[in-house]
Amino acid sequence: MIVVLLGPPGCGKGTQGERLAAALNIPKISTGDVIRAAMKAGTPLGVEAKSFYDRGDLVPDALILDIVREALAAPEQARGAVLDGVVRTVPQAEGLAVALASLNRPLDLVLKFDIADDELVGRLSSRMVCEACQSPFMGRTPGELHAECPKNPKGRLVRRKDDEPDAIRNRLKVYHAQTAPVVEWYRANEGPLTSIDARGTVDEVEERVRAAAGLA
Ligand SMILES: [Zn+2]
């Protein structure tokens, strides 16, 4: 079973992907993981990817898809994989379709996690770190910004730049701009796209994911 995960930052798709992969007894593959693995193994594609990293350049889509294709052709992925972060844009959706066709494997499920932007801004901006000991703290309220670190009275809680509300809204704007055409593309190509309501607890969302994947 090949499953693609689509969803905005903070929607919980990473955790849900891990749970689904475990339930299906298949690996979860993220783009970053397979690129790092290929570089570490020193495969020809990995060496090529490393040359981009070393120059500080982004690894091009075509190369990423070749690496994903190679990973999917490996015996560990014979029963399938949950793909996280592989499809974010229409060219990536097209590229994955070509790669899967060349491996003679169908795409079984595309899970799109839906949640309101305001809820994501609330969730992500509640993530703080101690500027002294770097400990992460989740579920903080705005009033706790610059509060004392529970582990170290000298430390203060701050947000990462990426977790500031304005930065989150920008990331969400990019996500929506990229994802709307991907959804249209899957609809136009009769892709197995299912929307998942990503509100609620991790367990509640997992129930919906399992139902969508045909697990009782
Ligand atoms: Zn601290």
Side-chain angles (χ1 to χ4, degrees), residues 2 59 74 94 97 108 137 139 150 162 171 197 203 205 212:
I2 304 280
V59 180
E94 288 169 343
D108 298 285
F137 298 95
D162 260 9
R171 281 154 70 199
D197 179 353
D203 289 343
V205 178

Side-chain angles (χ1 to χ4, degrees), residues 130-135 137 149-157:
C130 167
E131 58 185 352
C133 67
Q134 302 300 319
S135 301
F137 298 95
C149 170
K151 294 186 181 173
N152 169 4
K154 285 185 188 149
R156 292 286 173 272
L157 301 185

Side-chain angles (χ1 to χ4, degrees), residues 70-135:
E70 195 170 70
L72 288 174
E76 301 82 55
Q77 274 76 246
R79 297 186 58 251
V82 174
L83 304 178
D84 185 7
V86 174
V87 176
R88 289 194 169 100
T89 64
V90 170
Q92 289 166 348
E94 288 169 343
L96 179 65
V98 170
L100 289 174
S102 75
L103 293 167
N104 205 13
R105 302 189 54 182
L107 174 58
D108 298 285
L109 191 58
V110 179
L111 295 177
K112 177 176 169 278
F113 292 83
D114 290 334
I115 184 161
D117 285 2
D118 286 344
E119 195 161 337
L120 289 174
V121 172
R123 269 192 202 182
L124 292 169
S125 62
S126 73
R127 188 160 70 182
M128 296 182 190
V129 292
C130 167
E131 58 185 352
C133 67
Q134 302 300 319
S135 301

Side-chain angles (χ1 to χ4, degrees), residues 35 39 43-67:
I35 295 174
M39 291 197 300
T43 66
L45 294 173
V47 170
E48 203 183 330
K50 191 167 183 305
S51 71
F52 286 93
Y53 263 106
D54 290 347
R55 291 198 299 270
D57 290 335
L58 287 175
V59 180
D61 269 1
L63 179 54
I64 293 174
L65 282 160
D66 283 345
I67 293 173

